[in-house]
Amino acid sequence: MTFHELVVDPFVQFAFMRRALAASLALGVGCGPIGVFLMLRRMSLMGDSLSHAILPGVAVGFLLAGFSLPVMTLGGLVAGLLVALLSGASARFTVIKEDAGFAAFQSISLAAGVLIVSTKGGNVDLLHVLFGSVLAVDDAALLLATGCSSLALLVMAVIYRPLVIQCFDPAYLRIAGGGRADPWNMIFLALVVLALVAGFQVMGSLMAVGLMMLPAIAARFWARQVWTMMVAAVLIAMTAAATGLLLSFHFSLPTGPAIVLTAGAWHLFSLLFGPRGGLWSRLKPPARHREN
Amino acid sequence: MRRAIHLDNLTLGYERHPAVHHLSGVFQEGSLTAVFGPNGAGKSTLLKGILGLLPPLSGAVRLVGIQRRDLAFLPQQVELEPDFPMSVLDAVLMGHWRRRGAWGALDRELRQQAVAALETVGLSGFEKRAVNALSGGQRQRILFARLVVEDAPVILLDEPFAPIDAQTTADMLALVHRWREQGRTVIAVLHDLEQVQRHFPQTLLLARRALAWGPTEQALAPERLEQARSMSAAWNDHAPWCRKDPP
């Protein structure tokens, strides 16, 4: 089998592969930078929480309108934002911390979602919502994924400076603003929800987290600065998306897990051999050092 | 009108227990005040109250001639994220936030100000270095450089010399004196008695309540220090309700 047959032909011959490629590349571009900030803010598990949180919204949308993409998307968006808002508010106004708030509300949300889907739909529907169906992406789903990813990327660019400041000195912006609560954290959480909602139709709400976090964490081992880490995360996500799709095509594997596992392989490789703090770089002392 | 920070019968605390109890007094414009006291005396809590991060249980912080956003703050290093991958110059440029906000351009002049601030704190040539690769003392110098860039009329320092060596402390103390000469108000939470006696003309001796507030020599009289040492750090869960509070 030639390189052309292996890599190019599947996309040239099949429109569903082209759409799947475009959608998953767009997701990689939108999710990578967000994942980097989640990781740097020590909120890596927050994406997972929010992915569970959007489920009941999607389920309600499904109950109201069947497999209607706009309604399910809107439902997911509303549920995710609600959980983010409630978790943020409970951390701000009560004694619990944000992670505890997320753990609590995502559990409630997930249980509600499973209950709704199980009662009114079948297991197949539930699997579709949880794990998506990247090869069944139609034009509407493609537009949704690319639109949400583009919007998430643009907003990230707009709030980049305050996000960086908050990562380094969490109280600084509040103090500089005279003690008032600053909006940046909420905007950022809304972006996480937006990116996950963009991914749910393509990869399912659970698999979308993988494409968000694995490239971001892997990028930590290759880049030193925030922006280079974001670029690395996007590149890793895109290569994982394309490679995962091809693996899925040639070996008849489910596509979402194939993409996420490819990103996982990137992560394991980085963990072992990444030059910035990977296991190998820690175990093997450098051969030379400078005088000063 | 002279700028000042008035504390009007201020009580700050957690879960209805006071950490700072019925504190009244004024930080005058251009004053250099040490807030001194044992662990658990409410020193950092007082700074949080002044910054508006902690609402009072009773009383008020009244700012005269200044706004809350005119207050600059040097936090304790434990409140920062030291592993965050950021360059030294970017950390100092953060100090332009009040003037430039989220989208204002950081032009050459502002960058030069940040470079000059790094020179002031003895970190020339460190601009491109990563903050997470520096020592605790060097990171503290970065925070001082950020304060220089902020150019605020009131500066609050929370244990600014705790993580640094003698030379760095001396350098940063010189900077604090320069701020005072420029007419800025400086309030610093400190633990080193000798440092306070040598460098800070005003002292607030705090042991949840003000034991003394005034010229350092009088505020840190031996009997007052003894009183501060005997402060009970633990809450009494069954303490009666404070009678000074409104019903």
Side-chain angles (χ1 to χ4, degrees):
Chain A
M1 191 178 266
T2 64
F3 175 80
H4 197 273
E5 286 168 336
L6 205 63
V7 176
V8 182
D9 270 358
F11 298 115
V12 173
Q13 287 183 7
F14 300 104
F16 71 89
M17 281 294 282
R18 285 197 296 277
R19 272 201 294 268
L21 181 68
S24 47
L25 289 181
L27 281 184
V29 173
C31 289
I34 292 175
V36 167
F37 271 99
L38 278 172
M39 174 193 60
L40 292 175
R41 294 162 72 105
R42 300 183 190 232
M43 291 166 70
S44 297
L45 290 171
M46 224 67 99
D48 201 34
S49 278
L50 281 173
S51 76
H52 290 85
I54 66 174
L55 188 66
V58 175
V60 170
F62 169 67
L63 285 181
L64 290 176
F67 267 109
S68 160
L69 195 57
V71 180
M72 287 165 74
T73 303
L74 192 67
L77 209 56
V78 170
L81 289 176
L82 198 65
V83 167
L85 199 68
L86 288 172
S87 308
S90 59
R92 176 135 165 73
F93 298 112
T94 75
V95 70
I96 62 168
K97 302 283 182 212
E98 203 170 38
D99 64 323
F102 271 100
F105 286 109
Q106 68 104 357
S107 298
I108 296 170
S109 193
L110 179 64
V114 172
L115 190 83
I116 294 167
V117 177
S118 304
T119 313
K120 302 289 182 182
N123 286 340
V124 177
D125 299 330
L126 181 62
L127 280 178
H128 180 88
V129 172
L130 286 176
F131 303 111
S133 171
V134 72
L135 294 182
V137 171
D138 57 14
D139 286 346
L142 179 59
L143 273 176
L144 180 82
T146 50
C148 287
S149 293
S150 307
L151 183 62
L153 197 66
L154 280 175
V155 179
M156 274 293 285
V158 170
I159 66 167
Y160 180 78
R161 191 182 292 169
L163 279 185
V164 166
I165 292 177
Q166 267 192 340
C167 286
F168 177 67
D169 185 351
Y172 184 80
L173 294 179
R174 220 180 133 199
I175 291 166
R180 288 191 305 275
D182 58 72
W184 311 110
N185 195 40
M186 260 336 282
I187 296 175
F188 177 65
L189 287 176
L191 283 189
V192 179
V193 174
L194 186 70
L196 288 172
V197 168
F200 100 84
Q201 174 70 10
V202 177
M203 301 187 61
S205 57
L206 292 188
M207 290 295 115
V209 183
L211 197 59
M212 182 179 281
M213 293 316 303
L214 284 167
I217 300 170
R220 186 77 168 95
F221 293 103
W222 299 96
R224 203 190 296 238
Q225 289 172 293
V226 180
W227 73 270
T228 47
M229 225 173 269
M230 288 162 71
V231 171
V234 166
L235 291 176
I236 291 171
M238 290 171 87
T239 50
T243 315
L245 266 177
L246 288 170
L247 286 172
S248 157
F249 180 83
H250 290 298
F251 299 102
S252 303
L253 301 171
T255 319
I259 291 174
V260 174
L261 282 174
T262 313
W266 254 109
H267 171 66
L268 289 177
F269 179 75
S270 308
L271 193 76
L272 293 173
F273 303 111
R276 310 243 176 258
L279 195 62
W280 182 251
S281 75
R282 291 271 166 106
L283 291 178
K284 185 178 172 294
R288 294 185 302 166
H289 64 271
R290 298 183 195 278
E291 282 190 1
N292 185 11
Chain B
M1 182 171 47
R2 276 177 73 81
R3 295 166 174 156
I5 300 172
H6 292 256
L7 309 182
D8 297 340
N9 199 22
L10 177 69
T11 295
L12 298 160
Y14 309 94
E15 297 177 36
R16 298 192 184 193
H17 290 276
V20 172
H21 207 186
H22 296 295
L23 180 59
S24 292
V26 184
F27 294 101
Q28 294 290 359
E29 181 176 7
S31 61
L32 174 55
T33 309
V35 181
F36 188 76
N39 287 331
K43 305 182 295 295
S44 298
T45 301
L46 174 62
L47 295 193
K48 279 185 191 164
I50 294 171
L51 290 164
L53 299 179
L54 187 67
L57 294 178
S58 67
V61 176
R62 198 157 42 86
L63 304 179
V64 177
I66 41 175
Q67 295 181 315
R68 272 244 159 75
R69 47 181 293 123
D70 292 333
L71 309 178
F73 179 57
L74 183 142
Q76 291 185 29
Q77 287 208 6
V78 290
E79 296 182 29
L80 303 177
E81 175 53 65
D83 286 336
F84 185 72
M86 176 185 248
S87 76
V88 169
L89 185 63
D90 282 343
V92 178
L93 283 168
M94 203 189 286
H96 288 305
W97 171 265
R98 286 179 178 83
R99 284 181 288 278
R100 283 295 184 265
W103 306 298
L106 295 170
D107 54 28
R108 182 182 291 184
E109 190 189 332
L110 296 183
R111 285 176 183 277
Q112 277 171 349
Q113 280 178 22
V115 171
L118 280 171
E119 199 177 334
T120 304
V121 300
L123 282 182
S124 275
F126 279 69
E127 291 82 0
K128 291 182 179 172
R129 293 275 293 276
V131 173
N132 56 11
L134 301 187
S135 72
Q138 288 167 329
R139 279 206 288 267
Q140 200 70 354
R141 285 174 185 258
I142 293 172
L143 294 181
F144 271 97
R146 189 176 74 177
L147 287 175
V148 171
V149 165
E150 285 185 81
D151 193 22
V154 181
I155 298 167
L156 281 69
L157 310 168
D158 195 358
E159 299 191 24
F161 311 119
I164 56 182
D165 63 20
Q167 182 57 50
T168 309
T169 301
D171 292 348
M172 296 306 104
L173 272 168
L175 182 59
V176 168
H177 283 295
R178 221 173 311 153
W179 283 336
R180 189 195 175 204
E181 286 159 15
Q182 292 165 350
R184 300 177 207 270
T185 309
V186 180
I187 304 167
V189 166
L190 295 168
H191 276 297
D192 185 331
L193 180 62
E194 194 192 326
Q195 201 173 61
V196 174
Q197 288 169 326
R198 285 186 57 185
H199 295 282
F200 288 77
Q202 300 284 315
T203 296
L204 163 59
L205 180 61
L206 200 61
R208 294 216 216 150
R209 60 194 177 88
L211 297 180
W213 190 346
T216 296
E217 203 173 320
Q218 294 165 24
L220 297 182
E223 66 276 12
R224 298 214 196 269
L225 288 172
E226 189 54 42
Q227 211 180 343
R229 281 189 205 104
S230 65
M231 180 202 86
S232 164
W235 283 341
N236 177 1
D237 283 334
H238 304 293
W241 297 114
C242 177
R243 287 168 187 271
K244 287 186 189 170
D245 281 333

